[in-house]
Amino acid sequence: MERAESQSPLQADRLAPVRSLLRAMIVPVASVVVALAIGAVIIALSGANPLVAYSALFEGGLGSGRAIGRTLEKATPLIFGGLAVSLAFKCGLFNIGAQGQLLLGAIFAAFIGFSLQGLPAVLHIPLALLVGAVMGAVWAAIAGTLKAFTGAHEVITTIMLNFVAFNLTDWLADGPWKDRSPGNIVARTPAVAPEARLPDIAGVPLGMILAVLAAIAVWWLIWRTTIGFELRTVGQNASAAKYAGISVRRMTVLAMVASGFLAGLGGAVETLGVVGRFQPGFNVGLGFQAITIALLARTNPIAVIPASLLIGVMQAGASRMQFNSGVASEIIDVIQAIILFFVAADSIIRWVLRLRAEEGERVTLSSGWGS
Amino acid sequence: MQITDTLARPSAARIPWVTIGVWGGLAILVLVAYLRAPQATTAVLTSTIRQSTPIILGALAGIMCERSGVINIGIEGMMLISAFLGFLFNVWTGDLLLATMGALLVGAAVGAFHAVMSITLKVDQIIAGTVINILAVGLTGYFYQQGLTTRGKLAPVSIPVLADIPIIGPVFFSNPPITYASLILIVVIHVILFRTAWGLRTRAVGEHPAAADTVGIAVNRVRYINVIIGGMLAGLAGGFLTLESVGSFERNMTNGRGFVSLAVMIFGKWTPFGAWGGSLLFGFANALQSQIQFLKNQLPPWLAWIGDLPPQFIGMLPYVLTIAVLAGFVGRARPPAAIGKVYEKE
């Protein structure tokens, strides 16, 4: 996939950012529209009315204050996941293991949340968030280290680590960290202490605020720091980076650690902000949604926010759609996959809209087995 | 220089002592185990072959694609869609053979989709595979209705005389059709790749498409056909899951097998027999997992702790094994040189 970004600091044209932003938005927006249209055809083929389904979908996601609250709630972990995948892409790494990293972050945040009692919130919350994020980072670091030192491709190792994480967290929630309160028979941890729950700040959930701050931080890291410059250099051309004296191994591990940190933080935020404990089957499918979001946002950290909100609306409205129109909520997975297809195969949209292919720096999103 | 080297028959001159040692050691181990506990050993080995069937079929799919220079991480999704539609065909027609053919055709269609994306539309091939994987989860989840009743599954066929040999008989000669097919396909694909003109073309296209083009090979056509064949193999793996192994469809029933296949392919250095060795290893890990209840009472005292492990740890085994195999072997294996690159005429 090609991607163009006119981020050269040498450009003096003041309006250039605005124009390039608008140009950059054409393909993602068109992809969403086309995907919704194809989704409508699939809904119609399965015997339901697409208009009824879609109006219920968007009503359930945007129709009321509560609906919007639900959308923000759903979008929060998606932002973290989308940021995690985007950041790894910048370094030429394809992290499809955000799911596993999120699980690790979630269960360790839950552990800190329920095992420490009587800690003030100002200490308890940061500690639980940090431990969750660090565990996500550790989980991703396994894949990063293997990639850097043995060449094992991160696509396979992160997926395998997802399955290991499923089993590991399932065991923890059903074994050592199981909720032993009378009456509970399912696998889950005890509820976290009230002091560890994320509060709302001026009506906005703290988790959402953290997600937006994280997006800004990632943007800053990528575009305003030396590390970010080195990450991008490795992502664009690893051999050139090596020639310039950048340690590709160090950057590979670092990018995965940062990516896993974000995913783990997402899991921690979801646990402390929404669920209040860990239970298996937590946020299934987030890893794939995060990929769709990252590509929809063209790996731009700030654009991850609206992309996540869009997917968040669909998730928030899915159950209402199923209730009102009888369309199974899985249709939103299909629509997301079609969005991903059109964003990835952007030549189709460009051809239909007669857009010229953008010239600019080409970025290989991912690398083959050998490198 | 590299081309002549890699297109030559794989390591014909060297005697693979390590391979001989490993397989010899395993054979002795199996014999000892058989003498101590004949029933358990036969059960585990039979299960090993069956569990390795979708893995080797997936790995063969990967080999066909990647030898021609196209990365295919969508094998997981190809398996899942074929498993689902194969099952539906069985429900509708009640004919297992037709359903298997259906799964093959569906695999071919998804393979063609991958070819269109990665060859014609020039989508990053890893993203193209991801599109297939996500689409597969979404579509099968959306169209799957619970309560569809199965119409049975492919039954084992014993080959007379051969099936009566102890150990070897029940393990190799008393299998259901797709398992036999997978064993035959290992040989067939080996022969195609290394003994036919088509195989030479495939490997040339995967190693040095520009050179292949100069001698008149239609690079993209060869790639298209190989990716479609790969899709059919993945489709057969999917058919195995619903039509031979389980008998019905479950959401996400592939459980990462497509990705394990890719690890196995790398482990086997992109050769069918090498990949088979890897598949057997995973089949064995899965067999232990599925037979653990049965094995518990048969374990010698010094291994009794294995029976007491939480099931989740045994469930992790195949995945941890994949990571270990990948980390241990990928550095030493060299993928086809032109892999993942779109070929454009100069």
Side-chain angles (χ1 to χ4, degrees):
Chain A
M1 212 186 113
E2 303 155 22
R3 194 188 51 94
E5 206 139 353
S6 9
Q7 286 281 3
S8 164
L10 292 173
Q11 266 179 331
D13 188 355
R14 291 272 162 199
L15 273 176
V18 181
R19 255 185 281 131
S20 84
L21 178 72
L22 285 176
R23 224 182 15 242
M25 277 172 62
I26 296 174
V27 171
V29 170
S31 301
V32 171
V33 172
V34 176
L36 284 172
I38 296 178
V41 173
I42 296 176
I43 291 172
L45 282 179
S46 56
N49 184 340
L51 279 179
V52 176
Y54 279 167
S55 59
L57 182 70
F58 287 100
E59 212 182 294
L62 294 169
S64 64
R66 266 189 49 214
I68 291 172
R70 227 171 20 238
T71 294
L72 291 183
E73 195 180 292
K74 298 281 184 194
T76 304
L78 293 174
I79 293 175
F80 284 107
L83 288 174
V85 177
S86 298
L87 182 67
F89 268 146
K90 289 285 186 212
C91 192
L93 294 164
F94 192 9
N95 177 12
I96 47 180
Q99 182 89 63
Q101 295 141 24
L102 171 118
L103 281 175
L104 265 284
I107 199 161
F108 274 88
F111 173 67
I112 299 295
F114 74 74
S115 61
L116 301 175
Q117 296 287 342
L119 217 58
V122 276
L123 285 177
H124 206 165
I125 293 173
L127 183 69
L129 289 176
L130 187 70
V131 169
V134 166
M135 285 316 294
V138 166
W139 206 244
I142 301 174
T145 312
L146 288 174
K147 167 85 173 189
F149 291 95
T150 74
H153 201 279
E154 74 279 2
V155 163
I156 300 182
T157 52
T158 52
I159 277 274
M160 292 297 121
L161 284 167
N162 279 352
F163 286 103
V164 178
F166 282 133
N167 278 297
L168 186 66
T169 52
D170 191 44
W171 170 67
L172 285 171
D174 201 23
W177 294 351
K178 189 174 182 170
D179 177 11
R180 303 283 175 195
S181 58
N184 176 48
I185 49 161
V186 298
R188 66 175 199 197
T189 67
V192 300
E195 295 81 22
R197 296 295 303 258
L198 302 185
D200 284 4
I201 290 174
V204 183
L206 179 60
M208 189 69 199
I209 296 171
L210 288 173
V212 172
L213 290 177
I216 296 167
V218 171
W219 178 86
W220 180 80
L221 175 79
I222 291 174
W223 294 109
R224 289 289 179 270
T225 66
T226 316
I227 288 178
F229 173 75
E230 293 184 357
L231 275 180
R232 282 183 288 128
T233 310
V234 171
Q236 281 163 37
N237 190 336
S239 3
K242 203 181 280 172
Y243 187 71
I246 299 168
S247 164
V248 176
R249 284 184 172 170
R250 186 167 150 261
M251 282 302 132
T252 302
V253 177
L254 204 74
M256 282 307 282
V257 164
S259 181
F261 187 90
L262 288 163
L265 190 56
V269 162
E270 175 90 337
T271 299
L272 304 177
V274 182
V275 192
R277 57 157 46 95
F278 181 88
Q279 43 205 31
F282 175 86
N283 258 328
V284 178
L286 180 121
F288 281 165
Q289 287 149 10
I291 296 166
T292 308
I293 288 165
L295 289 178
L296 191 57
R298 313 181 92 212
T299 72
N300 176 332
I302 305 300
V304 161
I305 299 171
S308 303
L309 287 171
L310 176 81
I311 305 293
V313 167
M314 291 192 197
Q315 284 192 5
S319 56
R320 188 184 186 103
M321 174 189 66
Q322 184 153 13
F323 185 75
N324 280 16
S325 64
V327 174
S329 59
E330 280 86 1
I331 191 72
I332 65 167
D333 295 336
V334 179
I335 294 171
Q336 282 170 35
I338 302 171
I339 292 176
L340 180 63
F341 168 73
F342 282 109
V343 175
D346 60 350
S347 50
I348 299 179
I349 301 269
R350 287 183 192 290
W351 181 76
V352 171
L353 297 179
R354 304 287 189 273
L355 290 174
R356 267 182 303 124
E358 287 169 52
E359 290 300 325
E361 50 179 287
R362 288 185 169 197
V363 177
T364 28
L365 285 173
S366 51
S367 54
W369 303 130
S371 46
Chain B
M1 24 88 215
Q2 273 233 312
I3 307 165
T4 48
D5 182 44
T6 45
L7 291 187
R9 287 174 187 173
S11 56
R14 271 172 291 143
I15 300 171
W17 289 114
V18 179
T19 319
I20 294 174
V22 168
W23 287 108
L26 275 177
I28 293 169
L29 207 70
V30 165
L31 205 66
V32 171
Y34 183 74
L35 291 175
R36 290 191 61 134
Q39 264 187 332
T41 309
T42 312
V44 168
L45 291 181
T46 311
S47 176
T48 298
I49 292 281
R50 306 253 169 99
Q51 299 275 2
S52 71
T53 301
I55 309 282
I56 183 59
L57 286 171
L60 291 174
I63 290 170
M64 288 310 279
C65 296
E66 303 215 345
R67 279 284 180 174
S68 72
V70 179
I71 296 179
N72 185 356
I73 68 156
I75 291 174
E76 176 89 1
M78 295 179 176
M79 280 189 194
L80 191 63
I81 296 181
S82 314
F84 176 64
L85 285 174
F87 170 64
L88 281 192
F89 291 145
N90 186 27
V91 171
W92 293 332
T93 63
D95 186 329
L96 283 161
L97 191 70
L98 269 180
T100 310
M101 293 296 143
L104 272 172
L105 284 180
V106 171
V110 187
F113 180 52
H114 185 62
V116 169
M117 278 195 287
S118 47
I119 299 168
T120 306
L121 296 174
K122 295 170 187 152
V123 175
D124 179 307
Q125 294 176 1
I126 293 198
I127 305 289
T130 307
V131 169
I132 291 179
N133 289 335
I134 299 182
L135 206 54
V137 172
L139 284 175
T140 56
Y142 180 66
F143 285 107
Y144 174 63
Q145 303 147 309
Q146 244 132 6
L148 282 178
T149 46
T150 167
R151 299 278 188 95
K153 50 184 186 177
L154 293 162
V157 180
S158 286
I159 296 176
V161 187
L162 289 175
D164 298 329
I165 308 171
I167 326 183
I168 299 172
V171 174
F172 286 105
F173 300 110
S174 188
N175 282 308
I178 298 178
T179 302
Y180 284 127
S182 74
L183 295 174
I184 296 165
L185 279 167
I186 296 165
V187 182
V188 169
I189 288 180
H190 176 85
V191 170
I192 289 178
L193 275 180
F194 299 110
R195 296 283 185 274
T196 66
W198 178 261
L200 189 64
R201 276 184 218 148
T202 299
R203 286 179 293 138
V205 160
E207 293 290 344
H208 203 313
D213 193 12
T214 6
V215 297
I217 300 173
V219 173
N220 286 346
R221 190 169 150 260
V222 171
R223 287 188 171 170
Y224 253 91
I225 293 172
N226 274 299
V227 174
I228 292 171
I229 293 173
M232 291 174 85
L233 290 162
L236 193 59
F240 168 86
L241 292 176
T242 43
L243 302 173
E244 183 165 304
S245 173
V246 181
S248 64
F249 183 82
E250 292 153 26
R251 283 205 171 99
N252 297 329
M253 72 187 301
T254 40
N255 257 328
R257 283 184 182 86
F259 292 99
V260 173
S261 295
L262 289 172
V264 157
M265 170 193 76
I266 294 169
F267 169 84
K269 299 181 179 172
W270 287 264
T271 65
F273 281 103
W276 191 43
S279 312
L280 289 176
L281 191 64
F282 289 97
F284 183 65
N286 273 321
L288 282 184
Q289 189 192 333
S290 64
Q291 303 282 324
I292 194 77
Q293 292 306 322
F294 180 62
L295 286 174
K296 245 179 199 171
N297 310 319
Q298 309 244 4
L299 288 171
W302 57 279
L303 283 178
W305 57 273
I306 293 177
D308 297 329
L309 281 178
Q312 292 95 343
F313 280 75
I314 295 158
M316 285 178 206
L317 190 62
Y319 306 114
V320 174
L321 201 60
T322 309
I323 296 171
V325 157
L326 209 57
F329 286 88
V330 79
R332 277 169 251 166
R334 197 188 63 82
I339 204 159
K341 293 181 199 128
V342 173
Y343 176 63
E344 281 167 293
K345 277 193 182 202
E346 295 291 308

